[in-house]
Amino acid sequence: NAGVTQTPKFQVLKTGQSMTLQCAQDMNHEYMSWYRQDPGMGLRLIHYSVGAGITDQGEVPNGYNVSRSTTEDFPLRLLSAAPSQTSVYFCASSYDINQPQHFGDGTRLSIL
Amino acid sequence: QKEVEQDPGPLSVPEGAIVSLNCTYSNSAFQYFMWYRQYSRKGPELLMYTYSSGNKEDGRFTAQVDKSSKYISLFIRDSQPSDSATYLCAMSAEDSNYQLIWGAGTKLIIKP
């Protein structure tokens, strides 16, 4: 049972490049979410999904897109990377929106 | 002012001591309260989950919620070097769609 798997673990991009951060869970969880973690700040919600085909914006959605075509996968796309998007990105999942979330080990992203 | 305040530390204590970690918050609608532990370069891991006010105990860990004071605490008894990590508090409310609001985390160091 792998839980929540995030790939890649590290990535360096140049300003303006695009990329997709992958997230997969094998717990049959309906709720999935993406957060970013920056020094001195709490985790901030980027986007979330309450089930396949349903997504919604969180606190800091600008510059990011998501889709949820299957229960298992919830990729996060950076459309045109900016230095302000340098951060650690965490994907999380739970049975329902009001249940405790299980986290992956993160993707460390640097934008030059 | 942040919705959830947490002293960043670091908090350094000797092995075997009782540790007290705290968060204060401003939104009286918060109903669900969580404590997560995060080791370096890992994702947050759920430690305690409580609803509304009161105490909850799990092994060496006790979580307290005082809604009248808008204050939550995590106590660790018989602290071990393996407890050295960053501790994150998080909370949510039904009227904000259960979106988690996070503290910035307290770094705890247990000295052998």
Side-chain angles (χ1 to χ4, degrees):
Chain A
N1 191 346
V4 178
T5 303
Q6 291 185 238
T7 56
K9 294 190 186 304
F10 305 94
Q11 186 71 47
V12 178
L13 293 178
K14 295 181 179 178
T15 297
Q17 287 184 316
S18 63
M19 80 160 293
T20 299
L21 281 63
Q22 301 293 343
C23 175
Q25 52 92 9
D26 61 359
M27 297 173 282
N28 202 31
H29 285 170
E30 290 296 327
Y31 182 81
M32 296 186 74
S33 56
W34 277 101
Y35 294 88
R36 59 178 290 172
Q37 186 176 39
D38 300 294
M41 303 183 71
L43 279 80
R44 291 182 291 167
L45 183 65
I46 304 171
H47 286 285
Y48 66 95
S49 168
V50 297
I54 305 169
T55 63
D56 207 345
Q57 296 181 351
E59 180 186 354
V60 288
N62 293 341
Y64 307 95
N65 270 359
V66 292
S67 60
R68 183 98 179 269
S69 56
T70 67
T71 299
E72 294 78 20
D73 300 298
F74 191 43
L76 178 72
R77 281 181 287 276
L78 278 70
L79 308 173
S80 177
S84 61
Q85 293 178 305
T86 293
S87 188
V88 182
Y89 291 85
F90 288 101
C91 178
S93 72
S94 60
Y95 283 110
D96 203 346
I97 194 170
N98 64 343
Q99 296 299 307
Q101 295 175 36
H102 301 260
F103 284 79
D105 281 338
T107 294
R108 283 153 185 80
L109 184 62
S110 291
I111 315 294
L112 304 178
Chain B
Q1 183 189 6
K2 295 179 181 178
E3 269 193 285
V4 177
E5 299 277 0
Q6 189 175 7
D7 189 326
L11 175 63
S12 182
V13 301
E15 182 177 357
I18 296 175
V19 175
S20 173
L21 302 167
N22 311 295
C23 288
T24 59
Y25 62 93
S26 57
N27 186 354
S28 58
F30 286 141
Q31 304 161 293
Y32 300 87
F33 303 91
M34 282 142 272
W35 285 96
Y36 282 81
R37 178 176 61 196
Q38 186 175 25
Y39 291 115
S40 179
R41 298 192 173 274
K42 291 291 187 180
E45 168 194 14
L46 180 71
L47 278 178
M48 301 291 281
Y49 174 62
T50 56
Y51 172 74
S52 194
S53 284
N55 294 0
K56 184 175 183 178
E57 187 174 324
D58 184 1
R60 297 185 296 113
F61 299 91
T62 299
Q64 285 187 352
V65 175
D66 183 348
K67 291 192 72 178
S68 62
S69 302
K70 299 192 184 70
Y71 189 88
I72 68 171
S73 301
L74 177 71
F75 297 96
I76 307 174
R77 291 182 299 280
D78 188 25
S79 56
Q80 305 294 313
S82 59
D83 294 328
S84 298
T86 296
Y87 289 78
L88 309 169
C89 64
M91 46 201 80
S92 66
E94 181 177 358
D95 66 1
S96 55
N97 210 22
Y98 303 103
Q99 180 174 324
L100 284 177
I101 305 300
W102 294 80
T106 298
K107 184 173 183 177
L108 174 65
I109 300 169
I110 308 297
K111 298 175 294 184

